[in-house]
Amino acid sequence: MPKYKLVCFDVDGTLIDNVTSSWQVFHDYFQTDKHRREDAKNKFFNGQISYKQWAEHDINLWKEKNAKKEDFFKAIRSLKLMNGAMETLRKLKQSGFKLAIISGSLNVVLEKFIPDYEGFFDDIFLSRIHFDENGNISKVEATEFDMDSKALALKKIAEREKISLKECVFIGDYLNDMKIIKEAGLGIAFNCNYQELKKIADVVVDKKDLREILKHIL
Ligand SMILES: [Mg+2]
């Protein structure tokens, strides 16, 4: 019996390289108002608004700047797919693992670098921006499952699939992955610059090549 059944990935800094937060990349590109951003961020951390409300607030700042789909793609020109990402995903899929995305990132990021991502992953938790035929933002569906709530998304999938958390793997790079890395049977800190996360992870992979995770999972 294989030890693990489900492998979940973070996006920014894990599947996608040259980025810690794609939100920050978009804010820089669209030059949104720092004070309004700070205000919403503080409201979230003080418990006055939900994560979803915070995310929708920030996406609305881009909408106000008339951000079009092509602008989002331009904004992330300097990002790239992580080394070995496609080979790793294909290998895991061929080996029969369920694959999931549990991320605070945005659909436009994955769409640019893994255009067929919807077919690869059995479950996808991330924030989505929809565009109309002219490339304008038409609809926003922000995730609730970022930060500590990433662990809730993991539990949701595990419950539905009737597998234990011990049989789940999570790979992430940042402090918003602390809780989910603790909960997963195998928590991998990948491309990670944070000692707190490295300390609680079951495995630390410093080499920036996703194929390095395979020997710990297969
Ligand atoms: Mg990340």
Side-chain angles (χ1 to χ4, degrees):
M1 281 286 280
K3 207 168 168 190
Y4 305 111
K5 290 183 178 155
L6 169 71
V7 184
C8 308
F9 291 87
D10 168 55
V11 173
D12 294 347
T14 303
L15 284 173
I16 306 297
D17 197 6
N18 284 343
V19 63
T20 302
S21 162
S22 51
W23 291 83
Q24 189 60 49
V25 172
F26 292 128
H27 282 312
D28 291 343
Y29 187 83
F30 295 121
Q31 301 191 343
T32 53
D33 186 309
K34 209 176 164 209
H35 299 290
R36 287 170 70 192
R37 264 161 49 203
E38 281 293 315
D39 186 47
K41 183 182 176 180
N42 292 337
K43 277 187 177 149
F44 167 70
F45 282 104
N46 294 333
Q48 293 166 269
I49 58 172
S50 68
Y51 178 85
K52 197 178 168 73
Q53 285 171 314
W54 178 29
E56 286 172 356
H57 170 273
D58 275 24
I59 293 172
N60 205 44
L61 295 178
W62 306 333
K63 200 174 172 177
E64 284 175 18
K65 298 275 181 180
N66 292 318
K68 288 181 183 278
K69 189 170 189 179
E70 64 195 51
D71 299 319
F72 283 90
F73 286 158
K74 276 186 211 155
I76 50 176
R77 267 187 305 211
S78 64
L79 279 56
K80 64 184 189 83
L81 196 59
M82 186 58 71
N83 286 331
M86 293 319 295
E87 207 182 315
T88 303
L89 292 176
R90 282 193 199 105
K91 179 75 190 161
L92 290 170
K93 198 138 179 86
Q94 280 162 11
S95 307
F97 290 93
K98 291 247 171 231
L99 299 183
I101 294 283
I102 303 178
S103 164
S105 188
L106 293 136
N107 59 342
V108 279
V109 177
L110 271 183
E111 197 180 320
K112 179 167 163 86
F113 297 101
I114 313 179
D116 55 346
Y117 75 96
E118 302 261 13
F120 256 106
F121 296 96
D122 302 283
D123 281 279
I124 301 171
F125 290 86
L126 87 174
S127 284
R128 292 169 194 268
I129 304 175
H130 301 276
F131 299 90
D132 64 20
E133 64 275 17
N134 299 315
N136 295 307
I137 296 175
S138 58
K139 193 177 152 201
V140 174
E141 291 173 285
T143 184
E144 303 163 48
F145 301 99
D146 195 1
M147 311 288 179
D148 283 359
S149 297
K150 280 186 161 195
L152 292 179
L154 179 69
K155 283 178 190 164
K156 256 172 107 103
I157 304 172
E159 258 169 44
R160 194 197 63 219
E161 296 297 322
K162 299 188 170 52
I163 58 178
S164 78
L165 289 176
K166 279 200 174 70
E167 295 170 305
C168 300
V169 182
F170 182 82
I171 303 107
D173 70 308
Y174 188 58
L175 299 172
N176 62 338
D177 300 317
M178 291 283 287
K179 183 133 192 215
I180 190 168
I181 278 196
K182 262 189 230 164
E183 300 266 357
L186 178 65
I188 303 179
F190 175 80
N191 181 32
C192 174
N193 295 316
Y194 301 88
Q195 286 311 321
E196 306 97 296
L197 188 69
K198 286 183 172 187
K199 223 183 273 170
I200 56 149
D202 301 295
V203 167
V204 175
V205 173
D206 284 319
K207 189 175 170 193
K208 264 217 269 202
D209 187 324
L210 260 184
R211 285 167 289 205
E212 292 290 313
I213 67 170
L214 290 172
K215 58 176 178 261
H216 303 287
I217 301 171
L218 297 172

